Amino acid sequence: MAHLTQVDYWDNFYLQLEDTRDWILENDVVLSHFLSNSSKDTYLGGLLHLGCGSSDLPKHLLAEGIHPLVNIDFSELIVERQRTLYSGQEGVTFLQMDVRDLKFEDGTFSLALDKGTFDCVVLGNDGPENARKMLRELFRVLKPNGKYFMYSLHGPAARLDLLHEIQWNVEYKAISVSPLELPHQTHTHLYICTKP
């Protein structure tokens, strides 16, 4: 699984994929859980969408009034494609960036959302250490009481230890919908991590 943290792998993946591609869950399910666990007053504090890829989730988030919406991915190829697709759209930006080294000031965002990015990071080379770097960076760029929504293929036994190493308040929810990648699995896992 080391390839999951290599930008060349993702560039090649997106070269072969000309359409949108969503991970973990369909956007309506993601939005339902996201909106019911966040408040409208946090939307204007900005949302960081981690590992945006070719997802069309940004258009759904914008339709809900969530902006500024900053989407990052470490594949410059897909970032450029998304920039072109959303050109002229206000309140949304796409940046090439590594989740382990976020180029934002402390306390920039009220919300962060990830559909499978943490899963890729933790399964790649030096997974646990890279996952810690990602979590530390997220904690840093969130405002106090900011929330990080992690949608994952993996349950609490595989995720909570790492999450609790950072001072998050973690709420776990089992979503009774099979992940797109694992149709035989009965649940998808949502971790809502709040910065004190």
Side-chain angles (χ1 to χ4, degrees):
M1 298 294 228
H3 63 280
L4 294 176
T5 54
Q6 295 173 354
V7 72
D8 290 346
Y9 168 81
W10 291 107
D11 283 344
N12 288 328
F13 177 86
Y14 290 121
L15 276 172
Q16 298 170 41
L17 179 77
E18 294 186 15
D19 204 356
T20 60
R21 166 69 157 89
D22 275 291
W23 302 93
I24 309 290
L25 291 169
E26 297 289 351
N27 289 325
D28 60 335
V29 180
V30 170
L31 280 172
S32 168
H33 289 274
F34 176 75
L35 295 173
S36 66
N37 289 285
S38 56
S39 59
K40 290 199 180 240
D41 61 328
T42 61
Y43 297 173
L44 298 180
L47 183 140
L48 177 61
H49 180 197
L50 304 150
C52 63
S54 62
S55 173
D56 68 351
L57 181 60
K59 81 175 179 188
H60 300 284
L61 292 166
L62 288 168
E64 293 294 336
I66 299 169
H67 61 81
L69 173 56
V70 178
N71 303 272
I72 65 168
D73 201 286
F74 75 160
S75 168
E76 183 67 39
L77 185 149
I78 200 60
V79 166
E80 284 301 324
R81 188 183 299 170
Q82 291 285 62
R83 280 182 187 144
T84 300
L85 188 64
Y86 285 85
S87 66
Q89 178 79 47
E90 290 191 27
V92 61
T93 57
F94 291 87
L95 302 170
Q96 188 280 327
M97 200 173 296
D98 188 324
V99 295
R100 299 165 296 182
D101 184 24
L102 298 173
K103 306 298 185 189
F104 303 109
E105 297 292 323
D106 295 0
T108 300
F109 299 97
S110 292
L111 300 164
L113 187 148
D114 148 24
K115 295 194 320 168
T117 300
F118 185 85
D119 286 357
C120 289
V121 170
V122 81
L123 291 172
N125 282 337
D126 299 319
E129 186 50 39
N130 281 324
R132 288 180 185 99
K133 288 178 184 175
M134 176 182 171
L135 292 173
R136 284 192 295 267
E137 282 291 272
L138 272 172
F139 193 86
R140 181 182 65 76
V141 302
L142 281 174
K143 300 176 190 298
N145 299 311
K147 291 186 177 185
Y148 164 43
F149 289 76
M150 178 208 295
Y151 295 85
S152 176
L153 299 174
H154 303 279
R159 293 291 173 263
L160 286 180
D161 285 348
L162 278 169
L163 290 173
H164 284 303
E165 286 183 18
I166 309 293
Q167 297 174 343
W168 302 108
N169 296 320
V170 181
E171 181 182 359
Y172 167 73
K173 293 179 181 273
I175 301 172
S176 299
V177 178
S178 298
L180 296 171
E181 295 77 13
L182 301 172
H184 64 281
Q185 186 170 299
T186 59
H187 290 82
T188 302
H189 308 280
L190 170 60
Y191 303 87
I192 304 171
C193 307
T194 304
K195 179 178 178 176

